[in-house]
Amino acid sequence: MTLAPNSLQARDIAYTVHPYTNLRQHEQQGPLVITGGKGIYVTDDDGKDYIEGLAGLWCTSLGFSEKRLVEAARRQMERMPYTHTFAGRSSEPVIELAEKLIGIAPAPIRKAYFVNSGSEAIDTAIKLIWYYQNARGLPQKKKIIARQRAYHGITLAGGHLTASLAYTSSGFDLPMMDRFRHVTAPSYYRYGLEGESEAQFVDRLADELEQLILAEGPETVAAFFAEPVQGAGGVIVPPKGYFEKVQAILKKYDVLFVADEVICGFGRTGNWWGCNTFDIAPDLVTCAKQLSSAYLPIAGLLMSDAFYQVLADQSANLGTLGVGYTYGGHPVAAAVALETLKIYESDHTIEHVQAVAPRFLERLRRLESHPLVGEARGVGLIGGIEIVKDKATKEQFDQQLKANAQVVAKCLAHGLILRPLPGDTIGICPPLIISEQEIDLLFDRLEAGLDDALGVMPMAA
Ligand code: PMP
């Protein structure tokens, strides 16, 4: 590949280090430079348009040209560009945002703490849970359980919950801390046993969780973290009854439920929260991404009053709650998030998701008739497909082949951006504002990409 030395591509290769990227390969291929966006589309520096089939990184719910968010940022920047939230300082956008969030949050959530990213929200949750258990006089109660294929960010603590080798462990010598455990991900398609019904699968997973808590000693287990729909681990939608059984066990052993709503929050599953869709009553909630439609970085850690009261007493004993970030509760980001929530209400975004989701899910399920697709699963406007070599046996392709990445590359050529995920899956998660016609176009392009990939894949005989 020869690039003009002053091209964006050449300068990116010269100066930029990219996350989740094969850096040597990148030196050969260069970046896809996105220069503009309108609605659900983005444009590259060659002027080619793409449907953003993953809403960036599951986040640009209102698409790429929402002027009201630009205006909200401009207004707040002119008025008061920065104050922090340390030592009791606050700002109007932070107060209004917290009030609005608590107004829509799942019960029994009552308070909001602001940070800048999903990872920070998770990390702060872990720290505050340990602080909370110490405050309760239960210093042994520190272990945290997550599920395999979870994605809970990549900080040193959160990275221990994000179990997938593809994301955190490879090359980093994790895990280091002995406080993290994992149970099976609730994918009946992939982990259901021969002859096992879905209900039996749910019972087995609930039992696995209970046995783990008992083996570790309930007095050592502090919390369970779960995405209502596991997103970056391959879009795993839990079977019916799964969270009901899980919650009963957690209650029995005084284990906190942390709902990681970083992807599911704000309409993605057809309700405000994944917790609403799956009947979860969380002790803590992490949220980010669609909180501001990703126009500015902001995330929240939301907590129940019972949890807050323990923190408040302990901070009075110790003199402070010793966690905070310079930009946590940034007033401009908070103003944009507040405007985002107002738009969801005034534009009836959740109702829109409910109205178009049947079309999305119908087109998604239709993909199961494609020879490469073992399972197509989804809820609301989030979907995933699992690529297989043999549909009858569910056998997967050799991982070296990166079959899902090949499909994603073919889709890109057809003007559709998607993302390969672990377990040879592909995530589909368009902006929430997508219309039915655009859903059809998205799936037409995805089918074309799958057909192209079929031609080059070594299928089972
Ligand atoms: N939790 C979940 C469920 C996520 O999907 C992500 C990011 N994809 C995170 C946490 C981490 O968020 P961030 O990348 O903003 O740190």
Side-chain angles (χ1 to χ4, degrees), residues 294-331:
Y295 276 46
L296 281 176
I298 182 166
L301 171 60
L302 317 181
M303 63 192 78
S304 69
D305 190 55
F307 188 87
Y308 166 78
Q309 293 302 337
V310 174
L311 298 190
D313 284 344
Q314 180 76 333
S315 72
N317 291 337
L318 300 178
T320 190
L321 179 69
V323 283
Y325 301 90
T326 300
Y327 303 118
H330 194 289

Side-chain angles (χ1 to χ4, degrees), residues 62-81:
L62 296 176
F64 294 86
S65 49
E66 181 46 76
K67 294 285 184 292
R68 287 170 289 183
L69 297 184
V70 179
E71 192 46 36
R74 193 190 60 75
R75 272 197 313 270
Q76 185 59 38
M77 276 207 186
E78 283 179 358
R79 190 165 162 221
M80 204 277 295

Side-chain angles (χ1 to χ4, degrees), residues 372-386:
L372 282 174
V373 178
E375 188 185 46
R377 52 205 181 218
V379 57
L381 281 180
I382 184 168
I385 56 175
E386 189 154 333

Side-chain angles (χ1 to χ4, degrees), residues 14-25:
Y15 299 115
T16 307
V17 181
H18 287 266
Y20 287 126
T21 299
N22 177 332
L23 300 178
R24 289 283 178 240
Q25 199 178 7

Side-chain angles (χ1 to χ4, degrees), residues 117-119 151-153 227 260 262-263 289:
S117 67
S119 294
Y151 195 103
H152 298 297
E227 303 151 81
D260 185 350
V262 167
I263 286 179
K289 296 189 190 273

Side-chain angles (χ1 to χ4, degrees), residues 19 57 82 112 152 167 180 239 258 312 352 385 425:
L57 287 172
Y82 177 76
H152 298 297
Y167 286 124
F180 302 95
V258 184
H352 171 76
I385 56 175
T425 59

